[in-house]
Amino acid sequence: MRAVVVTAFGGPEVVEVVETAVPEPGAGQVRIKVAASALNPVDAGVRQGVFGGAGERLGLGWDIAGTVDAVGDGGEGPWGAGDSVVALAVGPVKALGAHAEYVVVDAGAVAAAPRTVDLVHAATLPLNALAAEQALELLELAPGQSLLVTGASGAVGGFAIQLAARRGVSVTGLARAWDEEFVRSLGAADFVSGGLGEGRRFDAVLDAAVLGEAALEGVRDGGVYVGAIPGANPASVRGVRTTAIGVIADGARLAELVRLVDEGVLTLRVAETYALDEASKAHARLAEGGVRGRLVLVP
């Protein structure tokens, strides 16, 4: 099968498509024939060596949408060959990722695919929606409390706005001025651009744009800051609790997010699609910036 890997760190030019053996599912695992897989900033980080793994062959891709192809011993659960599913292939340092024709994951990472969208759109859900959901769990906000989401027009930020607004949280989105209409359409009660506004503070900040200390200044004394990169959150000041998302695979939680897609609560956005053999080109487009929605690889 074909798979996207890097064997050296650098720009989009180091991304390779190689022939490799089809992986076999072990006990408690399922193999999925990949129909689509989103390209995320974490993949660029792997490519650049942010997460280590020098000298190894590293597979790229976290998001999976496709059909169950085989199951290992004890991995069946509700899954059978031909089932349409979504899943998350967790971890930046792995030999094979979701940017491949087949991928093996733990059965507990799998959920039935949405019924109301195609698999290309479904591929934009797992990583970013789970990140947003798990960030909100860390924030522990009650209805009526205030939340600032930086990077509000992005994938994690957009999902976070929709999920937080559904919980009754008062959300303010921070993004470029031209994204205001879109951010408000997601459920943001307020919008800011170009800065947090002098003296303005919130019960919590979800820093999806990785602004660091600048975003921390937007948290009230004793509030909460959640960052998007584990270990990169700024030090606590003024009694603010600071932490970061460490996304974990969770098929049950993913199933709930799928339900919200089918109910029209969550919006899935595809910017462009690329053939698997065009993975390097997709990385180059991601590096250019200004992408609204996800770039999706289609084997």
Side-chain angles (χ1 to χ4, degrees), residues 195-237:
L196 303 183
E198 186 175 352
R200 188 170 185 187
R201 285 182 172 164
F202 303 82
D203 292 315
V205 169
L206 170 50
D207 188 17
V210 197
L211 301 181
E213 292 183 0
L216 183 62
E217 281 302 307
V219 185
R220 65 163 173 80
D221 294 359
V224 188
Y225 167 101
V226 170
I229 301 176
N233 45 294
S236 175
V237 295

Short mmCIF file of all heavy atoms in Angstrom, two decimals, residues 195-237:
data_model
loop_
_atom_site.label_atom_id
_atom_site.label_comp_id
_atom_site.label_asym_id
_atom_site.label_seq_id
_atom_site.Cartn_x
_atom_site.Cartn_y
_atom_site.Cartn_z
N GLY A 195 -6.53 42.27 18.80
CA GLY A 195 -6.12 42.39 20.19
C GLY A 195 -7.28 42.07 21.11
O GLY A 195 -8.42 41.96 20.67
N LEU A 196 -6.99 41.95 22.40
CA LEU A 196 -8.02 41.57 23.36
C LEU A 196 -8.81 42.77 23.87
O LEU A 196 -9.83 42.60 24.53
CB LEU A 196 -7.39 40.83 24.55
CG LEU A 196 -6.58 39.59 24.21
CD1 LEU A 196 -6.09 38.93 25.49
CD2 LEU A 196 -7.42 38.61 23.41
N GLY A 197 -8.36 43.96 23.56
CA GLY A 197 -9.02 45.14 24.09
C GLY A 197 -8.45 45.48 25.45
O GLY A 197 -8.25 44.63 26.30
N GLU A 198 -8.13 46.75 25.68
CA GLU A 198 -7.46 47.18 26.90
C GLU A 198 -8.29 46.82 28.14
O GLU A 198 -9.45 47.22 28.27
CB GLU A 198 -7.22 48.68 26.86
CG GLU A 198 -6.40 49.18 28.04
CD GLU A 198 -6.06 50.65 27.93
OE1 GLU A 198 -6.35 51.23 26.88
OE2 GLU A 198 -5.54 51.19 28.91
N GLY A 199 -7.69 46.06 29.03
CA GLY A 199 -8.33 45.73 30.29
C GLY A 199 -9.42 44.69 30.22
O GLY A 199 -10.01 44.35 31.25
N ARG A 200 -9.71 44.15 29.05
CA ARG A 200 -10.81 43.20 28.93
C ARG A 200 -10.33 41.80 29.32
O ARG A 200 -9.32 41.31 28.79
CB ARG A 200 -11.34 43.19 27.51
CG ARG A 200 -12.61 42.36 27.35
CD ARG A 200 -13.24 42.56 26.00
NE ARG A 200 -14.51 41.86 25.91
CZ ARG A 200 -15.23 41.74 24.81
NH1 ARG A 200 -14.81 42.31 23.70
NH2 ARG A 200 -16.36 41.09 24.81
N ARG A 201 -11.07 41.16 30.23
CA ARG A 201 -10.67 39.84 30.69
C ARG A 201 -11.88 38.92 30.78
O ARG A 201 -13.01 39.37 30.94
CB ARG A 201 -9.94 39.92 32.03
CG ARG A 201 -8.51 40.45 31.86
CD ARG A 201 -7.74 40.50 33.14
NE ARG A 201 -6.34 40.83 32.86
CZ ARG A 201 -5.48 41.25 33.76
NH1 ARG A 201 -5.87 41.39 35.03
NH2 ARG A 201 -4.23 41.53 33.43
N PHE A 202 -11.60 37.62 30.69
CA PHE A 202 -12.64 36.59 30.61
C PHE A 202 -12.42 35.55 31.69
O PHE A 202 -11.31 35.41 32.22
CB PHE A 202 -12.61 35.94 29.22
CG PHE A 202 -12.77 36.90 28.08
CD1 PHE A 202 -11.69 37.63 27.60
CD2 PHE A 202 -14.02 37.07 27.48
CE1 PHE A 202 -11.85 38.52 26.54
CE2 PHE A 202 -14.18 37.96 26.43
CZ PHE A 202 -13.10 38.68 25.96
N ASP A 203 -13.46 34.77 31.97
CA ASP A 203 -13.32 33.69 32.93
C ASP A 203 -12.29 32.67 32.45
O ASP A 203 -11.61 32.03 33.26
CB ASP A 203 -14.66 32.99 33.16
CG ASP A 203 -15.66 33.88 33.87
OD1 ASP A 203 -15.28 34.52 34.86
OD2 ASP A 203 -16.83 33.92 33.43
N ALA A 204 -12.19 32.50 31.14
CA ALA A 204 -11.27 31.50 30.59
C ALA A 204 -10.88 31.88 29.17
O ALA A 204 -11.61 32.61 28.47
CB ALA A 204 -11.91 30.12 30.60
N VAL A 205 -9.75 31.35 28.74
CA VAL A 205 -9.29 31.50 27.36
C VAL A 205 -8.90 30.13 26.83
O VAL A 205 -8.15 29.38 27.49
CB VAL A 205 -8.09 32.46 27.25
CG1 VAL A 205 -7.46 32.38 25.85
CG2 VAL A 205 -8.50 33.89 27.54
N LEU A 206 -9.41 29.81 25.66
CA LEU A 206 -8.92 28.66 24.89
C LEU A 206 -8.05 29.22 23.79
O LEU A 206 -8.55 29.86 22.85
CB LEU A 206 -10.08 27.85 24.31
CG LEU A 206 -9.73 26.76 23.29
CD1 LEU A 206 -8.63 25.84 23.81
CD2 LEU A 206 -10.95 25.96 22.90
N ASP A 207 -6.76 28.99 23.90
CA ASP A 207 -5.79 29.63 23.00
C ASP A 207 -5.47 28.74 21.80
O ASP A 207 -4.37 28.21 21.68
CB ASP A 207 -4.53 29.96 23.80
CG ASP A 207 -3.54 30.81 23.02
OD1 ASP A 207 -3.93 31.41 22.01
OD2 ASP A 207 -2.37 30.87 23.45
N ALA A 208 -6.44 28.59 20.92
CA ALA A 208 -6.24 27.74 19.75
C ALA A 208 -5.23 28.33 18.78
O ALA A 208 -4.65 27.61 17.97
CB ALA A 208 -7.58 27.51 19.03
N ALA A 209 -5.01 29.64 18.83
CA ALA A 209 -4.05 30.30 17.94
C ALA A 209 -2.63 30.30 18.49
O ALA A 209 -1.71 30.80 17.84
CB ALA A 209 -4.49 31.74 17.67
N VAL A 210 -2.44 29.75 19.69
CA VAL A 210 -1.12 29.64 20.34
C VAL A 210 -0.48 31.03 20.47
O VAL A 210 0.66 31.25 20.07
CB VAL A 210 -0.20 28.67 19.57
CG1 VAL A 210 0.98 28.24 20.44
CG2 VAL A 210 -0.95 27.43 19.09
N LEU A 211 -1.21 31.95 21.07
CA LEU A 211 -0.69 33.30 21.31
C LEU A 211 0.11 33.37 22.61
O LEU A 211 0.83 34.34 22.85
CB LEU A 211 -1.84 34.30 21.36
CG LEU A 211 -2.71 34.41 20.10
CD1 LEU A 211 -3.77 35.47 20.29
CD2 LEU A 211 -1.86 34.69 18.88
N GLY A 212 -0.04 32.37 23.47
CA GLY A 212 0.75 32.30 24.69
C GLY A 212 0.42 33.39 25.69
O GLY A 212 -0.73 33.61 26.05
N GLU A 213 1.45 34.11 26.13
CA GLU A 213 1.29 35.09 27.19
C GLU A 213 0.32 36.21 26.80
O GLU A 213 -0.37 36.76 27.67
CB GLU A 213 2.64 35.67 27.59
CG GLU A 213 3.54 34.64 28.28
CD GLU A 213 4.86 35.23 28.74
OE1 GLU A 213 5.07 36.45 28.50
OE2 GLU A 213 5.67 34.49 29.31
N ALA A 214 0.26 36.55 25.53
CA ALA A 214 -0.69 37.58 25.09
C ALA A 214 -2.12 37.15 25.36
O ALA A 214 -2.97 37.96 25.77
CB ALA A 214 -0.50 37.87 23.60
N ALA A 215 -2.43 35.86 25.14
CA ALA A 215 -3.77 35.35 25.43
C ALA A 215 -3.99 35.22 26.93
O ALA A 215 -5.11 35.43 27.42
CB ALA A 215 -3.98 34.01 24.74
N LEU A 216 -2.94 34.85 27.66
CA LEU A 216 -3.05 34.71 29.11
C LEU A 216 -3.49 36.03 29.75
O LEU A 216 -4.20 36.03 30.76
CB LEU A 216 -1.71 34.25 29.68
CG LEU A 216 -1.63 33.97 31.18
CD1 LEU A 216 -2.58 32.84 31.58
CD2 LEU A 216 -0.20 33.65 31.58
N GLU A 217 -3.08 37.14 29.15
CA GLU A 217 -3.48 38.45 29.69
C GLU A 217 -4.98 38.67 29.61
O GLU A 217 -5.53 39.53 30.29
CB GLU A 217 -2.75 39.56 28.92
CG GLU A 217 -1.33 39.78 29.35
CD GLU A 217 -1.23 40.13 30.84
OE1 GLU A 217 -1.92 41.08 31.26
OE2 GLU A 217 -0.49 39.44 31.55
N GLY A 218 -5.66 37.88 28.78
CA GLY A 218 -7.11 38.01 28.65
C GLY A 218 -7.89 37.24 29.69
O GLY A 218 -9.13 37.27 29.69
N VAL A 219 -7.20 36.53 30.60
CA VAL A 219 -7.87 35.73 31.62
C VAL A 219 -7.96 36.54 32.92
O VAL A 219 -6.97 37.13 33.35
CB VAL A 219 -7.12 34.41 31.90
CG1 VAL A 219 -7.91 33.54 32.87
CG2 VAL A 219 -6.87 33.67 30.60
N ARG A 220 -9.12 36.54 33.54
CA ARG A 220 -9.27 37.23 34.83
C ARG A 220 -8.45 36.54 35.90
O ARG A 220 -8.05 35.36 35.77
CB ARG A 220 -10.75 37.23 35.25
CG ARG A 220 -11.31 35.85 35.53
CD ARG A 220 -12.60 35.92 36.31
NE ARG A 220 -13.24 34.61 36.44
CZ ARG A 220 -12.88 33.68 37.33
NH1 ARG A 220 -11.87 33.89 38.15
NH2 ARG A 220 -13.53 32.51 37.38
N ASP A 221 -8.19 37.25 36.98
CA ASP A 221 -7.49 36.65 38.12
C ASP A 221 -8.25 35.40 38.58
O ASP A 221 -9.47 35.43 38.75
CB ASP A 221 -7.42 37.64 39.28
CG ASP A 221 -6.55 38.85 38.99
OD1 ASP A 221 -5.99 38.91 37.87
OD2 ASP A 221 -6.45 39.74 39.85
N GLY A 222 -7.52 34.29 38.75
CA GLY A 222 -8.13 33.05 39.19
C GLY A 222 -8.86 32.29 38.12
O GLY A 222 -9.53 31.29 38.42
N GLY A 223 -8.75 32.72 36.87
CA GLY A 223 -9.43 32.05 35.76
C GLY A 223 -8.63 30.87 35.23
O GLY A 223 -7.74 30.33 35.92
N VAL A 224 -8.92 30.48 34.00
CA VAL A 224 -8.30 29.28 33.41
C VAL A 224 -7.82 29.59 32.00
O VAL A 224 -8.52 30.24 31.22
CB VAL A 224 -9.29 28.10 33.35
CG1 VAL A 224 -8.56 26.83 32.91
CG2 VAL A 224 -9.99 27.88 34.66
N TYR A 225 -6.63 29.11 31.68
CA TYR A 225 -6.06 29.20 30.33
C TYR A 225 -5.78 27.78 29.85
O TYR A 225 -5.12 26.99 30.55
CB TYR A 225 -4.76 30.00 30.35
CG TYR A 225 -3.93 29.90 29.08
CD1 TYR A 225 -3.96 30.91 28.12
CD2 TYR A 225 -3.11 28.79 28.83
CE1 TYR A 225 -3.19 30.83 26.96
CE2 TYR A 225 -2.36 28.69 27.68
CZ TYR A 225 -2.40 29.71 26.74
OH TYR A 225 -1.65 29.61 25.60
N VAL A 226 -6.29 27.43 28.65
CA VAL A 226 -5.97 26.15 28.03
C VAL A 226 -5.31 26.41 26.69
O VAL A 226 -5.88 27.11 25.83
CB VAL A 226 -7.24 25.28 27.85
CG1 VAL A 226 -6.92 24.06 26.99
CG2 VAL A 226 -7.77 24.82 29.20
N GLY A 227 -4.12 25.87 26.52
CA GLY A 227 -3.39 26.02 25.27
C GLY A 227 -3.60 24.83 24.35
O GLY A 227 -4.20 23.82 24.73
N ALA A 228 -3.07 24.94 23.14
CA ALA A 228 -3.29 23.92 22.13
C ALA A 228 -2.10 22.99 21.95
O ALA A 228 -2.19 22.01 21.20
CB ALA A 228 -3.63 24.58 20.79
N ILE A 229 -0.98 23.27 22.62
CA ILE A 229 0.23 22.46 22.47
C ILE A 229 0.69 22.01 23.85
O ILE A 229 1.06 22.85 24.69
CB ILE A 229 1.35 23.24 21.77
CG1 ILE A 229 0.90 23.70 20.39
CG2 ILE A 229 2.61 22.37 21.65
CD1 ILE A 229 1.93 24.54 19.66
N PRO A 230 0.68 20.71 24.15
CA PRO A 230 1.12 20.23 25.47
C PRO A 230 2.53 20.71 25.80
O PRO A 230 3.44 20.64 24.97
CB PRO A 230 1.07 18.71 25.31
CG PRO A 230 0.06 18.47 24.24
CD PRO A 230 0.22 19.61 23.28
N GLY A 231 2.68 21.23 27.02
CA GLY A 231 3.99 21.67 27.47
C GLY A 231 4.36 23.07 27.05
O GLY A 231 5.37 23.62 27.53
N ALA A 232 3.56 23.69 26.18
CA ALA A 232 3.89 25.03 25.68
C ALA A 232 3.05 26.12 26.33
O ALA A 232 3.18 27.29 25.99
CB ALA A 232 3.70 25.09 24.16
N ASN A 233 2.19 25.76 27.29
CA ASN A 233 1.37 26.78 27.93
C ASN A 233 2.22 27.66 28.84
O ASN A 233 3.18 27.19 29.47
CB ASN A 233 0.23 26.13 28.73
CG ASN A 233 0.68 24.96 29.58
OD1 ASN A 233 1.09 23.95 29.03
ND2 ASN A 233 0.61 25.11 30.89
N PRO A 234 1.91 28.95 28.91
CA PRO A 234 2.70 29.86 29.74
C PRO A 234 2.54 29.55 31.23
O PRO A 234 1.59 28.90 31.65
CB PRO A 234 2.13 31.24 29.39
CG PRO A 234 0.75 30.97 28.89
CD PRO A 234 0.82 29.64 28.21
N ALA A 235 3.48 30.06 32.01
CA ALA A 235 3.43 29.86 33.46
C ALA A 235 2.26 30.62 34.06
O ALA A 235 1.83 31.66 33.55
CB ALA A 235 4.74 30.33 34.09
N SER A 236 1.77 30.11 35.15
CA SER A 236 0.63 30.74 35.83
C SER A 236 1.00 32.11 36.39
O SER A 236 2.10 32.31 36.92
CB SER A 236 0.14 29.83 36.96
OG SER A 236 -0.88 30.46 37.71
N VAL A 237 0.06 33.05 36.26
CA VAL A 237 0.16 34.36 36.89
C VAL A 237 -1.21 34.71 37.45
O VAL A 237 -2.24 34.21 36.99
CB VAL A 237 0.60 35.46 35.89
CG1 VAL A 237 2.01 35.20 35.39
CG2 VAL A 237 -0.37 35.56 34.73
#
